[in-house]
Amino acid sequence: MTETSPMAVLRKAVDVTGIVQGVGFRPFVYRLANACGLSGFIANSPAGVSIEVEGPADRVEEFLERLPKEIPPLAKVTSLSLRDARAQGGDSFRIVSSHLGEPPKALISPDVAVCEDCLREMGNPRDRRFRYPFINCTNCGPRFTILRDIPYDRSRTSMAAFLMCAACQAEYDDPTNRRFHAQPNACWDCGPQVQLLSATGERMDVVEPIRETSRLLQQGKIVAVKGLGGFHLACDAKNEAAVDLLRERKRRVEKPFAIMVRRVEDVAHLCTLDQLSRKLLLSRERPIVLLPRKPEAGLASGVAPRNRFLGVFLPYAPLHHLLFSSGKFEALVMTSGNLREEPIAIDNVEALERLRTIADAFLVHDRDILRRCDDSVVRVSAGQTQMLRRSRGYVPVPVALESESEPILAVGGELKNTVCLVRGSEAFLSQHVGDLENPESYGFFEEAVAHFQRILEVQPKVIAHDLHPDYFSTQWAFEREGTEHISVQHHHAHIAACMAENHLEGTVIGMALDGTGYGTDGAIWGGEILIADYTVFERTAHFQYVPLPGGAAAIHEPWRIAVSYLAKHYGNDISALHLPFLKEIEPRKLNVVLQMVQREVHSPRTSSCGRLFDAVAALVGLRTKVNYEAQAAIELEMAAHDSAEEGAYLLNLIPMNSGWQIGTRSLFDWLIADIEKGASVADMSRRFHNGLVAVLVDVAEKIRAQRELSRVCLSGGCFQNVLLFESLLAALRKHQFDVYFHSEVPAGDGGLSLGQALVAAHRAKAKAKNG
Ligand SMILES: [Zn+2]
Ligand SMILES: [Zn+2]
Ligand SMILES: [Zn+2]
């Protein structure tokens, strides 16, 4: 490359941006420069780090070649720019202390699972951090959850309360040490400590609180354990009584619990483990991974009733490893420390208050969690990672965008809320905020918005929100004075999120299938085929409307929507159909619902695909009521796995002025005939799935013929249904469509804020262009 002689002295300046602060990047560069025999310096810069190296040309070349290849595990380089500098002489390479006062734009690292080096030290009786539950280094430990402000250094984290001892300080100051500038660096002498508290909050006088906790868990007790992003409620996953008690006290019926398993080898006993899932389990993000369970696993039946999948994760905080090493259990239920759908508890006092009716004891510590952050949830489908909940370990790593935009805040939807801040060409999605139907989540929502604005140093003048006027997030947006509001239709946002994640430009066919989203006509949409770009969309096809008797109540009682479909297609005398599920319903209630449907009182119209799943699940006799969101649909999907049926219930396309309605009459005709014949639920479910796939491919074909579009984006919560997703993907590909879907960002409403932000960014740009 260079024409200079290898011996000539060169000086090069390198600017690096990305996650390069607080992740051991400067010591790494220091060691590399020394290894190459170069002089110069490295300093933190507003956007990352600045490096200058000087020495013989061949050594400088070697440095530049190795630099991007050997970066430390937590570092993430977004850009690396190189220029010539004037040689200055000098015989050493120095780490120059950072300049405060400059506007910092460097990225913040997410929390990272404890690394192998730290685990080794923690298990070594001769190490000064033997069994120390807060061991960390520049390659691991808490980041986002202890962050108060930027730039990221100890004084702006919850570690500010702990003054480093001489030994820790020496490590912190030594560029060759693994703990050089490791902000949460600590030890037994100077750092945070754990305590075991009784259910009533009294400190229990025990020498080793963690060993005692393990003993309690072994006895079948429930212990609230303070972790990285919040409290977990823990109990032995093989102890039937303990798991049942936890369900009863937490008032959580049937919704699966996640389990933390001692080692990855043990996971293989409980679940079928593919290569990618194994990699995800062991990744430094340590998400909960949904895995097909083995029936003979020996777990308590209450862990995940009626579910073929288990949510499994491995220990990630040093504290978790210590719990397992001192107890005789293979797996612990580790469920969010909350009551029902409230936000996860993070503060000791708050936890004692909120969880005292659930936990027998509390394992707490005195390092404050400043950012609530739930465990992330992923699964592998179609051979790729599918994000279901993007939180701890992933936040605040940005999603890279195709182009720059002015700062935008998008406030997300109502359920599974996240917010998104766009800065430049990066979109920062917040951690999972949760369901804003729950007033407990409002504070968390506001906190997440404020914190992201602070750490990213942007105060957007444009706020994107859902079209639904009553959502908490929409109302919150309206209350911000001096800002421009851009409302984005729910399903358009889903498709835009999918486009953004896949870096698509132009116009696509968007299939947005989910439970609920407010439509431009005021109806509840949810089975939508759109032709969309980032600015506008056309609703080309949708499922036929049916009344949703009782609105939200119908979501908890799938029989209502089943009755609504029956009344729509067969008239009000549905008892003549002799369907077994009707016998489960109180005749008086049934009549009320029939009247509601007929008169269209409290029965908004819906085209929801999620509700169609509910109706079918109720009709085939799976369940008339649900205990958690989407339970009926999930159980319907589970049932189909037992069938290899290739037949399909046909859905017909009814032409409209500008597109099609997807008619459901023939589907119900076939289904009812099958129920009369006594067909198996497995086969009926499979035929239903096959029918959906067939009609969706049919719609795509028709659109391609008319509009010459062949890129299809799949988004919305229904695509968390692996069977639907994988079969539709395969069928569309077979018909030569280019199919795009989510991986980094949830297909469900957790990804909405990203799509809202993109639509708003493009509309703002278009408006600026047109004056
Ligand atoms: Zn470490
Ligand atoms: Zn110390
Ligand atoms: Zn949605």
Side-chain angles (χ1 to χ4, degrees):
M1 296 262 283
T2 171
E3 288 174 26
T4 336
S5 109
M7 291 310 289
V9 168
L10 279 185
R11 190 176 182 96
K12 292 275 184 189
V14 192
D15 288 319
V16 186
T17 67
I19 303 179
V20 288
Q21 293 183 8
V23 290
F25 198 81
R26 286 179 302 161
F28 148 70
V29 171
Y30 175 89
R31 283 192 293 271
L32 182 61
N34 280 319
C36 297
L38 302 175
S39 63
F41 69 87
I42 177 166
N44 278 346
S45 70
V49 294
S50 296
I51 308 167
E52 290 197 11
V53 282
E54 183 173 330
D58 57 338
R59 308 310 304 267
V60 172
E61 288 285 335
E62 182 193 339
F63 174 87
L64 294 174
E65 205 182 298
R66 287 173 62 183
L67 179 70
K69 286 187 197 150
E70 297 177 17
I71 60 166
L74 301 190
K76 188 179 152 101
V77 170
T78 7
S79 77
L80 200 150
S81 67
L82 187 65
R83 63 205 147 73
D84 292 323
R86 187 199 295 256
Q88 294 175 7
D91 49 13
S92 67
F93 189 88
R94 290 171 306 125
I95 297 180
V96 179
S97 61
S98 29
H99 311 282
L100 287 179
E102 291 170 338
K105 288 264 161 29
L107 301 179
I108 294 144
S109 164
D111 298 289
V112 178
V114 59
C115 74
E116 288 299 322
D117 290 335
C118 287
L119 277 181
R120 213 170 300 121
E121 289 173 355
M122 191 173 74
N124 177 2
R126 284 180 302 280
D127 192 278
R128 69 187 190 93
R129 291 189 181 86
F130 178 54
R131 291 185 65 82
Y132 182 56
F134 302 95
I135 189 168
N136 68 83
C137 69
T138 43
N139 300 326
C140 73
R143 295 286 188 280
F144 177 69
T145 53
I146 57 167
L147 185 70
R148 194 184 311 276
D149 209 342
I150 45 152
Y152 172 69
D153 69 30
R154 191 175 177 108
S155 63
R156 294 177 191 84
T157 69
S158 58
M159 285 302 293
F162 304 93
L163 189 68
M164 270 186 274
C165 67
C168 287
Q169 185 70 49
E171 293 166 339
Y172 184 90
D173 292 334
D174 175 5
T176 62
N177 194 286
R178 201 173 90 242
R179 298 194 165 90
F180 175 71
H181 284 205
Q183 306 302 347
N185 191 25
C187 74
W188 282 112
D189 291 336
C190 65
Q193 308 290 334
V194 291
Q195 267 185 31
L196 189 61
L197 307 178
S198 71
T200 47
E202 283 105 48
R203 183 177 177 162
M204 289 160 81
D205 191 16
V206 290
V207 189
E208 292 189 87
I210 295 178
R211 279 195 206 280
E212 182 59 20
T213 302
S214 294
R215 211 178 56 79
L216 291 174
L217 290 167
Q218 234 163 274
Q219 288 172 355
K221 298 279 194 262
I222 296 165
V223 185
V225 177
K226 188 174 179 180
L228 270 184
F231 275 81
H232 283 114
L233 287 159
C235 73
D236 183 351
K238 293 199 169 176
N239 186 323
E240 291 279 355
V243 175
D244 289 348
L245 191 64
L246 177 57
R247 285 211 175 273
E248 193 186 306
R249 291 190 187 161
K250 207 179 177 225
R251 285 181 253 160
R252 174 153 154 159
V253 187
E254 294 195 331
K255 188 175 179 184
F257 284 138
I259 57 167
M260 185 178 275
V261 179
R262 186 172 49 182
R263 290 178 314 224
V264 75
E265 293 77 18
D266 300 318
V267 178
H269 301 150
L270 303 171
C271 302
T272 315
L273 190 57
D274 61 283
Q275 274 308 314
L276 179 54
S277 297
R278 187 188 157 87
K279 221 173 120 188
L280 287 164
L281 278 173
L282 288 165
S283 70
R284 58 182 187 241
E285 291 86 1
R286 288 286 152 107
I288 295 171
V289 183
L290 297 192
L291 295 167
R293 70 196 286 178
K294 290 183 176 167
E296 69 287 7
L299 291 174
S301 54
V303 169
R306 281 191 259 265
N307 206 304
R308 286 172 172 269
F309 293 88
L310 271 181
V312 177
F313 55 155
L314 293 174
Y316 54 87
L319 182 77
H320 300 145
H321 287 274
L322 292 170
L323 274 178
F324 277 100
S325 70
S326 20
K328 290 192 181 62
F329 31 76
E330 221 177 277
L332 290 173
V333 165
M334 285 286 251
T335 185
S336 310
N338 56 10
L339 254 180
R340 287 188 241 111
E341 304 298 317
E342 291 174 2
I344 188 168
I346 54 172
D347 176 75
N348 294 353
V349 178
E350 175 200 11
L352 279 166
E353 174 70 24
R354 283 169 53 194
L355 307 178
R356 69 181 163 187
T357 53
I358 310 176
D360 297 308
F362 291 80
L363 182 64
V364 300
H365 57 73
D366 51 356
R367 182 178 72 197
D368 288 341
I369 299 171
L370 298 181
R371 302 298 140 212
R372 206 182 292 273
C373 211
D374 290 82
D375 295 311
S376 294
V377 186
V378 303
R379 80 170 350 150
V380 171
S381 63
Q384 296 202 33
T385 310
Q386 188 185 28
M387 187 71 62
L388 302 178
R389 182 164 77 197
R390 188 177 184 275
S391 242
R392 178 191 48 77
Y394 298 94
V395 173
V397 178
V399 175
L401 302 177
E402 268 310 278
S403 56
E404 299 240 340
S405 114
E406 67 172 295
I408 306 251
L409 168 67
V411 292
E414 181 86 333
L415 302 177
K416 300 185 173 64
N417 178 278
T418 62
V419 299
C420 175
L421 253 182
V422 174
R423 183 180 76 182
S425 58
E426 289 173 321
F428 295 82
L429 274 104
S430 74
Q431 69 270 46
H432 167 80
V433 173
D435 295 352
L436 298 178
E437 279 177 348
N438 185 340
E440 302 274 343
S441 305
Y442 296 175
F444 184 13
F445 169 87
E446 296 196 302
E447 196 182 285
V449 171
H451 183 240
F452 265 67
Q453 294 192 346
R454 195 162 67 245
I455 62 172
L456 297 171
E457 294 192 301
V458 279
Q459 288 291 336
K461 291 275 167 279
V462 179
I463 303 182
H465 58 82
D466 194 89
L467 195 61
H468 201 305
D470 300 332
Y471 278 1
F472 171 80
S473 51
T474 306
Q475 306 225 321
W476 185 91
F478 284 143
E479 283 160 19
R480 300 309 106 188
E481 280 166 19
T483 53
E484 184 188 346
H485 308 127
I486 296 182
S487 71
V488 182
Q489 199 279 326
H490 188 102
H491 302 94
H492 186 204
H494 271 309
I495 299 306
C498 182
M499 289 175 69
E501 203 189 318
N502 291 287
H503 303 283
L504 300 182
E505 296 287 342
T507 306
V508 301
I509 302 171
M511 296 188 175
L513 307 182
D514 64 4
T516 302
Y518 192 77
T520 50
D521 57 358
I524 300 173
W525 294 8
E528 311 305 313
I529 320 301
L530 312 178
I531 292 177
D533 60 23
Y534 286 116
T535 323
V536 290
F537 72 94
E538 285 168 52
R539 189 187 195 202
T540 312
H542 63 85
F543 286 87
Q544 216 171 16
Y545 281 134
V546 277
L548 185 64
I555 296 171
H556 305 292
E557 298 187 348
W559 68 267
R560 289 171 180 254
I561 186 79
V563 165
S564 177
Y565 269 110
L566 295 176
K568 177 182 179 78
H569 293 313
Y570 309 105
N572 258 18
D573 186 21
I574 62 169
S575 57
L577 296 167
H578 302 294
L579 288 161
F581 90 99
L582 290 170
K583 293 195 192 83
E584 287 178 45
I585 299 149
E586 222 182 288
R588 190 188 52 85
K589 271 187 140 184
L590 181 61
N591 274 326
V592 172
V593 164
L594 280 169
Q595 282 176 27
M596 283 167 84
V597 170
Q598 199 178 22
R599 297 187 197 149
E600 296 198 25
V601 238
H602 298 305
S603 299
R605 292 174 308 153
T606 187
S607 55
S608 164
C609 184
R611 296 293 87 76
L612 181 59
F613 269 88
D614 284 352
V616 173
L619 223 67
V620 300
L622 271 175
R623 59 174 50 251
T624 53
K625 287 184 184 145
V626 296
N627 295 308
Y628 60 90
E629 195 216 344
Q631 186 182 13
I634 289 169
E635 291 182 8
L636 188 62
E637 179 198 349
M638 301 291 153
H641 286 277
D642 288 330
S643 163
E645 174 62 37
E646 287 179 0
Y649 297 141
L650 297 180
L651 291 105
N652 53 312
L653 290 182
I654 307 161
M656 300 185 301
N657 294 340
S658 58
W660 301 269
Q661 275 188 51
I662 301 172
T664 49
R665 168 70 195 249
S666 53
L667 156 69
F668 283 92
D669 288 350
W670 286 97
L671 184 58
I672 290 166
D674 265 358
I675 293 170
E676 274 169 11
K677 272 190 255 165
S680 75
V681 173
D683 284 347
M684 291 190 283
S685 173
R686 185 61 86 152
R687 283 175 200 143
F688 167 61
H689 280 84
N690 293 345
L692 280 181
V693 169
V695 79
L696 292 169
V697 172
D698 197 8
V699 173
E701 290 270 22
K702 289 203 156 57
I703 296 174
R704 178 165 61 186
Q706 286 187 1
R707 308 284 285 264
E708 294 181 2
L709 297 170
S710 60
R711 295 183 300 171
V712 183
C713 285
L714 307 180
S715 189
C718 290
F719 289 110
Q720 292 181 5
N721 175 327
V722 177
L723 179 62
L724 176 68
F725 170 63
E726 290 184 348
S727 340
L728 181 59
L729 178 64
L732 285 168
R733 282 179 173 164
K734 200 174 147 203
H735 287 79
Q736 271 85 45
F737 286 96
D738 299 319
V739 192
Y740 300 89
F741 47 89
H742 292 278
S743 175
E744 249 186 288
V745 168
D749 287 1
L752 270 186
S753 59
L754 174 65
Q756 293 175 343
L758 265 288
V759 171
H762 281 78
R763 287 202 191 139
K765 236 179 251 177
K767 197 173 148 191
K769 208 188 260 171
N770 302 330

